[in-house]
């Protein structure tokens, strides 16, 4: 074999690297070795690629004489002339498949108008699908259990003062395990008068709706426990140990379903226990969309805010309970008249049943229960409770009552059970406490979604309270178990005043010990001097004020609620 001559390596005495003159660079350098040209601004490529495949069958035969190790014509890392890298852009659309799944059974071309309609319909379907995906994405981001409501911030129903002492906090998870069975109650006294139910309202439907009337002259009373003269008399006679009203008991019984904050005042006087509502409490207002996933506007002055809807719902409920009665002057009387009405005052149709339950051998509970109407069937008298569900805007509930009540009444009721689970459970509990034979639910809607003064009755449906309680999964033994546990807890406390507060953000209730003068107004009105006293108005001024008050609808709504 011939020897490989490396050759002489020149020495550069003037600097670093090879000499600049080509003659001194490599005297015996072969002339047929290719070099890759480059500039200083370009990136250097490989000098030799020893990993290149020599056995490429698709290689151009013209380049077969070149050594593939030093062939850089096909190397992407080397700079390429701009003219060689230029490619024309093909603007023609790709060929449409002739026998694809969309065109397999199409034998003739569609008309342009028909094709445009299908394109628009497809776009609408895509928009709906995208909106549905966005809605599901927002739900999944916040969680699966009541997601949007968890993000909402609710305020406490009462301001917690620094001097209050928190004694205990009970999570709602413990309430679900409680159970207590009570015997049938006994009626100690029945007061008030009732009008009979008008059965023509059972035939109302959305096509034959009826306008909701206003009853400005009828007075409604929401008196707390200790202000009730009958309960005071029964307490002095030692008829029971625990005293409450049906609205307070239903709030306790359905506490695990509540979302909004509420508070109940507890007074321990001797060996007796009184459950009261606080002055200015919203316990008698009706919540709207309390358990819904769609958040309501936070601005209080908005007609769809939680507070505005509560006032509107209470106004609707009171007027509905009086409109569906036979107003011919005949009433069903009881042992005593209405204990809260003065002589000659026109009051709403209501009867108060003071009933007593036995909690144990030494403890009895007396509660004032209400029914709004009476009915006679086959010679037997039955009691009815009247309540109204209200629709304020179909976009919040997702279902239009005027379109769905006749054909899909079950879907409408299911939506209301989802959005107003606590309110419907409290109505059912009150009907069970009063032993009402039927509970009537009215479906009342706004004439227009932005008009919260005018409403129409779309339908009225009757239910048996026990059957409806089973339908909404309301267990009677569990309800009484909650009441019994709270009563036992409060009976262990010393004499004084306490308050039960539902936490605004957590499913739990707290017990605070408060001062004896809490929630009481100590302001005493002092008479003004004679020169500053306002003189009574004349008859003309009184008539003008009465006319202005009658025309002011908003004041009428607030007055009806109060």
């Amino acid at each position: 074999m011939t020897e490989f001559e490396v050759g002489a390596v020149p020495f550069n005495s003037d600097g670093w690297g090879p000499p600049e003159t080509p003659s001194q660079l490599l005297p015996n350098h072969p002339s047929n070795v290719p070099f890759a040209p480059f500039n200083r601004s370009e990136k250097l490529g490989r000098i030799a690629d020893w990993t290149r495949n020599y056995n490429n069958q698709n290689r151009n035969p013209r380049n077969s004489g070149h050594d593939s190790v030093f062939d850089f014509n096909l190397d992407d890392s080397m700079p390429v002339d701009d003219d060689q890298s230029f490619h024309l852009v093909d603007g023609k659309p790709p060929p449409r498949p002739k026998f694809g799944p969309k065109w397999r059974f199409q034998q003739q071309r569609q008309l342009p108008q028909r094709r445009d309609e299908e394109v628009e319909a497809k776009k609408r379907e895509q928009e709906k699908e995208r909106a549905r995906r966005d809605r599901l994405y927002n739900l999944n981001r916040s969680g699966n259990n009541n997601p949007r409501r968890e993000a909402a911030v609710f305020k406490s129903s009462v301001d917690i003062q620094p001097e209050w002492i928190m004694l205990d906090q009970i999570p709602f998870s413990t309430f679900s395990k409680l159970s207590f069975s009570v015997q049938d109650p006994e009626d100690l006294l029945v007061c008030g008068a009732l009008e009979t139910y008008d059965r023509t309202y059972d035939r109302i439907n959305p096509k034959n709706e009826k306008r909701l009337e206003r009853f400005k002259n009828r007075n409604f009373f929401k008196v707390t426990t200790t202000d009730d003269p009958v309960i005071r008399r029964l307490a002095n006679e030692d008829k029971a140990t625990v005293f409450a009203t049906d609205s307070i008991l239903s709030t306790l019984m359905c506490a695990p379903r509540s979302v909004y904050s509420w508070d109940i005042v507890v007074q321990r006087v001797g060996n007796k226990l009184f459950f009261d509502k606080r002055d200015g409490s919203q316990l008698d207002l009706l919540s709207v969309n309390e358990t819904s996933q769609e958040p309501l506007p936070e601005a209080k002055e908005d007609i769809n805010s939680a507070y505005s809807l509560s006032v509107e719902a209470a106004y609707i409920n009171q007027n509905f309970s009086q409109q569906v009665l036979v107003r011919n002057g005949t009433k069903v009387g009881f042992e005593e008249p209405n204990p809260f009405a003065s002589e000659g005052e026109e009051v709403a149709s209501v009867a108060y049943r003071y009933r007593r339950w036995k909690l144990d051998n030494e403890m009895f509970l007396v509660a004032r229960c209400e029914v709004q109407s009476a009915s006679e069937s086959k010679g037997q008298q039955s009691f009815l409770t009247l309540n109204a569900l209200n629709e304020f805007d179909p976009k919040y509930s997702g279902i239009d009552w005027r379109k769905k009540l006749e054909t899909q009444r079950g879907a409408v009721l299911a939506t209301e059970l989802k959005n107003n689970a606590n309110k419907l459970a409290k109505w059912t509990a009150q009907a069970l406490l009063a032993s009402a034979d039927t509970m009537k639910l009215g479906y009342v809607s706004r004439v227009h979604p932005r008009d919260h003064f005018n409403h129409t009755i779309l339908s009225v449906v009757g239910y048996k309270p026990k059957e409806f309680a089973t339908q909404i999964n309301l267990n009677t033994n569990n309800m009484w178990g909650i009441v019994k546990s709270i009563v036992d807890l409060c009976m262990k406390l010393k004499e004084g005043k306490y308050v039960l507060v539902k936490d605004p953000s957590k499913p739990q209730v707290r017990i605070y010990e408060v001062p004896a003068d809490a929630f009481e107004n100590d302001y005493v009105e002092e008479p003004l001097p004679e020169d500053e006293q306002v003189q009574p108005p004349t008859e003309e001024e009184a008539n003008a004020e009465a006319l202005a008050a009658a025309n002011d609808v908003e004041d009428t709504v607030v007055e009806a609620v109060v």
Side-chain angles (χ1 to χ4, degrees):
M1 296 179 61
T2 59
E3 295 181 359
F4 178 74
E5 295 181 3
V6 178
V9 178
F11 175 73
N12 188 1
S13 60
D14 298 331
W16 183 87
E20 296 181 358
T21 58
S23 61
Q24 299 177 359
L25 182 61
L26 287 178
N28 56 350
H29 186 270
S31 60
N32 59 349
V33 176
F35 284 90
F38 64 93
N39 297 326
R40 293 182 180 273
S41 61
E42 296 175 346
K43 295 182 180 180
L44 291 176
R46 295 184 298 272
I47 293 185
D49 188 1
W50 303 97
T51 63
R52 184 165 299 181
N53 186 11
Y54 301 138
N55 300 323
N56 189 1
Q57 300 297 331
N58 298 326
R59 189 170 52 184
N60 191 348
R62 292 182 301 173
N63 299 332
S64 58
H66 297 283
D67 193 350
S68 62
V69 175
F70 299 95
D71 189 6
F72 298 98
N73 293 330
L74 302 177
D75 194 349
D76 296 333
S77 63
M78 299 306 298
V80 184
D81 192 8
D82 292 340
D83 295 336
Q84 297 179 2
S85 62
F86 179 79
H87 297 283
L88 290 176
V89 178
D90 190 4
K92 294 187 297 183
R96 181 175 296 175
K98 191 174 182 180
F99 297 102
K102 196 172 181 181
W103 311 90
R104 183 175 299 170
F105 301 103
Q106 185 174 348
Q107 298 180 359
Q108 59 182 2
R109 296 188 62 182
Q110 293 179 325
L111 296 176
Q113 182 180 2
R114 178 64 177 173
R115 186 182 302 170
D116 294 341
E117 292 176 356
E118 289 190 359
V119 170
E120 292 296 329
K122 188 175 181 180
K123 288 183 180 179
R124 288 194 296 267
E125 292 296 330
Q126 290 176 352
E127 289 291 335
K128 292 181 180 179
E129 183 66 17
R130 184 171 59 186
R132 187 186 69 84
R133 288 198 303 267
D134 293 344
R135 186 166 60 252
L136 292 177
Y137 172 75
N138 293 329
L139 291 177
N140 294 332
R141 282 186 62 188
S142 303
N144 296 326
N145 187 13
N146 206 8
R148 294 194 180 180
R149 282 297 185 179
E150 289 180 357
V153 178
F154 300 112
K155 296 182 180 180
S156 177
S157 60
V158 61
D159 293 333
I160 308 299
Q161 302 299 324
E163 62 270 15
W164 293 4
I165 303 173
M166 189 181 72
L167 302 179
D168 197 2
Q169 54 184 7
I170 309 170
F172 286 164
S173 58
T174 59
F175 286 164
S176 60
K177 306 174 184 177
L178 301 175
S179 179
F180 183 74
S181 178
V182 294
Q183 300 177 358
D184 293 337
E186 58 174 327
D187 282 339
L188 300 180
L189 188 66
V190 182
C191 306
L194 292 176
E195 293 177 338
T196 58
Y197 175 72
D198 190 356
R199 298 183 181 275
T200 58
Y201 280 88
D202 291 338
R203 297 191 292 269
I204 289 182
N205 52 54
K207 296 180 181 178
N208 186 25
E209 59 186 25
K210 204 157 191 176
R211 197 68 173 262
L212 183 67
E213 302 176 10
R214 297 189 181 94
F215 293 85
K216 305 176 183 178
N217 299 327
R218 294 197 173 190
N219 295 326
F220 300 85
F221 304 96
K222 299 294 182 183
V223 183
T224 187
T225 307
T226 52
D227 293 342
D228 191 333
V230 178
I231 288 184
R232 289 185 176 183
R233 186 175 69 194
L234 295 176
N236 293 331
E237 297 174 359
D238 290 333
K239 293 292 185 180
T241 310
V242 185
F243 299 88
T245 63
D246 59 347
S247 62
I248 295 176
L249 284 182
S250 63
T251 302
L252 293 176
M253 291 176 170
C254 306
R257 304 190 182 211
S258 61
V259 176
Y260 296 154
S261 178
W262 47 263
D263 59 276
I264 296 174
V265 180
V266 182
Q267 299 188 62
R268 175 78 188 274
V269 182
N271 65 334
K272 292 182 173 58
L273 205 62
F274 295 89
F275 290 90
D276 280 299
K277 68 174 183 178
R278 177 177 48 86
D279 291 340
S281 172
Q282 300 182 8
L283 203 63
D284 292 323
L285 294 180
L286 302 177
S287 62
V288 179
N289 277 29
E290 179 178 358
T291 55
S292 171
Q293 296 180 1
E294 293 292 334
L296 297 174
E298 297 182 0
K300 193 174 182 179
E301 60 274 6
D302 195 303
I303 63 172
N304 291 334
S305 65
Y307 176 77
S308 301
L309 290 175
S310 297
V311 175
E312 180 184 356
Y315 161 78
I316 291 173
N317 201 72
Q318 290 180 352
N319 288 317
F320 172 80
S321 65
Q322 303 304 305
Q323 181 172 347
V324 296
L325 304 175
V326 179
R327 299 187 295 273
N328 55 4
T330 60
K331 294 185 177 181
V332 179
F334 296 99
E335 306 170 20
E336 293 185 10
N338 194 314
F340 314 118
S342 57
E343 186 177 357
E345 184 180 7
E346 185 178 358
V347 297
S349 172
V350 63
Y352 302 104
R353 304 182 71 177
Y354 293 87
R355 320 191 78 196
R356 182 170 66 177
W357 287 266
K358 183 178 180 180
L359 299 182
D360 56 32
N361 294 331
E362 299 179 355
M363 188 183 300
F364 290 86
L365 183 145
V366 167
R368 184 189 73 218
C369 307
E370 297 182 14
V371 290
Q372 288 79 32
S373 177
S375 178
E376 274 195 33
S377 177
K378 299 180 181 179
Q380 294 183 353
Q381 190 180 56
S382 59
F383 294 110
L384 288 79
T385 60
L386 305 174
N387 302 103
L389 296 167
N390 61 304
E391 180 190 38
F392 56 99
D393 197 339
K395 74 176 184 180
Y396 283 93
S397 61
I399 187 168
D400 193 349
W401 286 6
R402 285 178 169 83
K403 298 179 181 179
K404 303 296 183 180
L405 262 179
E406 282 191 300
T407 58
Q408 299 180 9
R409 180 176 295 174
V412 175
L413 181 60
T415 305
E416 290 301 307
L417 288 173
K418 181 186 69 172
N419 296 337
N420 299 282
N422 186 35
K423 179 170 66 175
L424 284 167
K426 288 172 64 175
W427 286 347
T428 309
Q430 292 175 11
L432 292 173
L433 290 172
S435 295
D437 299 278
T438 307
M439 53 181 297
K440 293 286 186 178
L441 288 181
Y443 293 88
V444 180
S445 177
R446 291 178 181 175
V447 175
H448 188 272
R450 301 302 302 173
D451 183 8
H452 62 293
F453 294 123
N454 300 307
H455 304 82
T456 57
I457 304 174
L458 302 180
S459 179
V460 180
V461 186
Y463 299 95
K464 298 293 182 183
K466 292 184 179 180
E467 297 177 359
F468 193 75
T470 305
Q471 182 177 351
I472 65 175
N473 197 21
L474 191 64
N475 191 344
T476 307
N477 292 339
N478 178 251
M479 294 191 308
W480 281 108
I482 297 174
V483 173
K484 182 67 165 58
S485 64
I486 294 179
V487 168
D488 292 341
L489 181 62
C490 295
M491 291 299 290
K492 296 177 182 178
L493 303 175
K494 60 183 181 180
E495 290 191 37
K497 182 180 288 188
Y498 307 88
V499 60
L500 297 172
V501 181
K502 193 269 176 186
D503 192 284
S505 58
K506 298 179 182 179
Q508 64 182 11
V509 62
R510 293 193 177 102
I511 302 178
Y512 292 92
E513 182 180 0
V514 299
D517 58 349
F519 314 121
E520 293 181 1
N521 189 6
D522 298 333
Y523 171 74
V524 179
E525 184 177 358
E526 297 181 357
L528 295 173
E530 293 183 0
D531 55 347
E532 297 182 7
Q533 291 183 359
V534 180
Q535 299 298 326
T538 62
E539 184 177 358
E540 295 180 356
E541 293 175 349
N543 293 335
E545 292 180 359
L547 181 60
N551 294 333
D552 194 351
V553 183
E554 185 174 0
D555 292 344
T556 304
V557 175
V558 177
E559 182 181 357
V561 174
V562 173

